[in-house]
Amino acid sequence: MDFSHTPGWHGGIEQRLNGSLIALSTIFLGMRLYVRAFMTKAMGWDDLIAGIAWALLVTQSAMDIRAVTFGSGAHMEFVPLELLAKFFESLNIQKCIYFWAVAFVRWSILAFLPRLSSEKIVMYSIYLVGSIIFIQTFVCQVFLLTMCDPVADVFKPPFLPGLNCKSSDEDSKMMRAHGATGIAIDFFLLILPIYIIYSKMMWSRRTIQVILVMSIGTFVVVTGIIRLVLILTIDFYTDTTHKMGTIGVWTNLEGHVGFWCCCFPALQPLVRIISYKLGIRSKLLSGGQSNSNQKYYASGRSQTGGKGTKPGTHHGASANRRSAQFGASNTITKNGYLKNGSGVDNSSDFDSDSQKGIIIADGAQGGANSDIEMGSLGGGAYEKNGSSGAGIHKRTEVSIQTETVPPGSKPRRGGAGVADSWVDLN
């Protein structure tokens, strides 16, 4: 039914806003999956959880758009009774979806954090906060479904006679508690990745840029605070259809903005390439590296070759020599994105630990220490005067023991003082 002609109607805002939210969240998810599946080849559990969160958020927004035809955004006095029944049924279903949608958004952020650090304190914090989110969601879900007896009455208009339901004040307290707990969780999810980055990266302009990206989560905290203030100050249980256009908008914004924030870190490689192609930046990576030897890491962890290490840190002198020897020959792949750590990079000349073995040979080539590729071992340049040369060589020694036995008898096998041999002396 069309209520646009009724006084004070603002259902159009709900429709346009939710349509935009669905489109933006779908774009962000598509770009995230493209980067993880085709560019970095580093799909993870956080991507699966983010996909579930997207499905729940899109369902919630689609139901909110449909609720406009049931009277959402119009004053309740202009909504027929039969449509009010459908409105309240849709409203309580949206509440159930909302609880799990924001929970999966927060879980997707938690699932991303092990890519930054796997230290015990970080992992314990992830498990603790993840458990709190589950308890919060489960308790609120059970409370909502047990508001009335039988459960089916939960989805009926609260003003119908004969309903055996708890008071609206108890429902309001539950929503306030959920909102306040959610703000605390969102604040923690904002601080923890910033702490990890600050403690793992050397302080530089790039560190500030990464922290600013993570700080976008501040909008989620602000949105949650605004929504909680509205719940505390507006009597949502009178003229519910009209006020849904206010509180409902901020409820949807909270979930979708949180979803965008959980996608932003995964989009960093794509943003760098686009900005480089558009000429916004002169190099793919910040710092003094040239474009010919810059690369991204598919593992999503630190760029230094190990967990918990700061940029510029190498594991031993061999890593430094490898970097100097092969850094200049690194090339950009056809899509402008270099990967490492997931198989052999066929499109790149850069040598990774899994593709070539480099050893240090003493006295080779004039007595100076030099790096030798294992594929070059035994070559003429490394052989001198018939010697086996420098490098790693395999030599097999076989020892055969014999004994004299009387005619017609078998040699002893495994007897005292006689060693078994894989050579059968018959």
Side-chain angles (χ1 to χ4, degrees):
M1 185 174 179
D2 184 13
F3 295 92
S4 59
H5 61 282
T6 60
W9 180 78
H10 50 229
I13 298 176
E14 294 182 67
Q15 292 177 323
R16 291 188 295 271
L17 176 65
N18 281 285
S20 301
L21 293 177
I22 291 174
L24 288 174
S25 294
T26 302
I27 292 173
F28 278 117
L29 179 65
M31 292 192 298
R32 174 186 182 137
L33 295 180
Y34 173 77
V35 171
R36 289 284 175 84
F38 300 103
M39 296 178 67
T40 65
K41 300 186 184 300
M43 294 286 288
W45 285 104
D46 54 331
D47 300 304
L48 175 61
I49 297 173
I52 298 174
W54 170 83
L56 292 172
L57 289 171
V58 168
T59 302
Q60 178 186 345
S61 292
M63 292 190 67
D64 200 12
I65 294 174
R66 187 168 181 264
V68 174
T69 61
F70 301 148
S72 180
H75 288 285
M76 189 177 291
E77 58 184 289
F78 301 108
V79 182
L81 185 60
E82 62 272 14
L83 290 181
L84 281 177
K86 294 182 178 180
F87 169 81
F88 280 100
E89 178 183 3
S90 175
L91 176 62
N92 286 291
I93 293 176
Q94 287 183 63
K95 279 185 181 180
C96 296
I97 296 175
Y98 163 76
F99 291 146
W100 291 104
V102 294
F104 274 95
V105 168
R106 290 161 180 160
W107 282 330
S108 67
I109 298 175
L110 289 175
F112 166 77
L113 295 181
R115 294 177 181 262
L116 301 178
S117 175
S118 58
E119 292 182 354
K120 286 186 176 180
I121 186 172
V122 175
M123 299 305 296
Y124 289 157
S125 300
I126 292 173
Y127 294 141
L128 176 61
V129 177
S131 301
I132 293 175
I133 294 172
F134 175 79
I135 294 173
Q136 173 207 30
T137 305
F138 182 78
V139 170
C140 291
Q141 183 75 84
V142 172
F143 183 90
L144 178 63
L145 295 178
T146 56
M147 279 284 294
C148 300
D149 186 21
V151 177
D153 289 350
V154 174
F155 304 97
K156 296 179 181 179
F159 52 80
L160 291 180
L163 296 180
N164 183 23
C165 300
K166 299 176 183 178
S167 65
S168 59
D169 290 338
E170 295 187 37
D171 181 63
S172 179
K173 291 178 182 178
M174 181 270 292
M175 296 301 295
R176 293 172 185 174
H178 182 276
T181 306
I183 292 173
I185 293 173
D186 291 338
F187 183 76
F188 177 83
L189 295 178
L190 170 65
I191 295 299
L192 183 57
I194 294 178
Y195 163 76
I196 295 174
I197 294 171
Y198 177 79
S199 61
K200 298 299 179 186
M201 295 180 65
M202 295 181 63
W203 190 254
S204 63
R205 193 179 79 174
R206 186 181 180 191
T207 306
I208 298 175
Q209 292 173 348
V210 176
I211 290 178
L212 288 176
V213 172
M214 296 298 181
S215 299
I216 297 177
T218 304
F219 292 101
V220 183
V221 178
V222 172
T223 303
I225 292 175
I226 294 175
R227 177 177 175 272
L228 180 60
V229 170
L230 292 176
I231 293 176
L232 294 173
T233 56
I234 297 178
D235 183 10
F236 185 66
Y237 301 94
T238 59
D239 201 6
T240 306
T241 55
H242 187 259
K243 295 173 181 176
M244 180 67 181
T246 302
I247 298 180
V249 165
W250 288 100
T251 300
N252 293 325
L253 274 174
E254 180 186 14
H256 284 274
V257 173
F259 179 76
W260 302 342
C261 291
C262 82
C263 290
F264 284 149
L267 301 181
Q268 185 182 19
L270 186 61
V271 172
R272 288 182 179 276
I273 292 174
I274 294 175
S275 60
Y276 175 71
K277 296 292 186 181
L278 295 177
I280 300 177
R281 59 191 303 142
S282 59
K283 294 190 286 263
L284 287 177
L285 291 181
S286 302
Q289 295 177 317
S290 63
N291 290 331
S292 62
N293 65 349
Q294 296 180 31
K295 65 189 182 69
Y296 293 104
Y297 280 72
S299 61
R301 293 186 173 89
S302 175
Q303 200 177 338
T304 61
K307 300 176 183 178
T309 56
K310 293 185 177 183
T313 303
H314 298 279
H315 297 282
S318 178
N320 291 327
R321 283 191 293 272
R322 254 194 328 269
S323 177
Q325 181 177 355
F326 296 98
S329 63
N330 184 25
T331 57
I332 305 298
T333 58
K334 62 182 179 180
N335 59 4
Y337 184 87
L338 293 183
K339 66 184 181 67
N340 183 40
S342 58
V344 177
D345 299 336
N346 294 324
S347 58
S348 173
D349 295 328
F350 189 87
D351 173 52
S352 66
D353 292 341
S354 63
Q355 297 178 47
K356 288 185 179 180
I358 303 298
I359 63 170
I360 302 175
D362 294 328
Q365 294 184 343
N369 291 341
S370 61
D371 293 339
I372 304 175
E373 297 184 17
M374 293 185 68
S376 302
L377 295 181
Y382 297 97
E383 295 185 1
K384 295 182 179 180
N385 301 325
S387 63
S388 57
I392 299 175
H393 303 273
K394 179 180 179 181
R395 183 175 63 183
T396 303
E397 295 183 358
V398 179
S399 177
I400 302 177
Q401 296 181 348
T402 63
E403 60 177 340
T404 303
V405 296
S409 62
K410 296 283 186 178
R412 291 180 298 157
R413 302 185 60 80
V418 179
D420 281 343
S421 174
W422 59 274
V423 180
D424 191 0
L425 302 177
N426 282 327

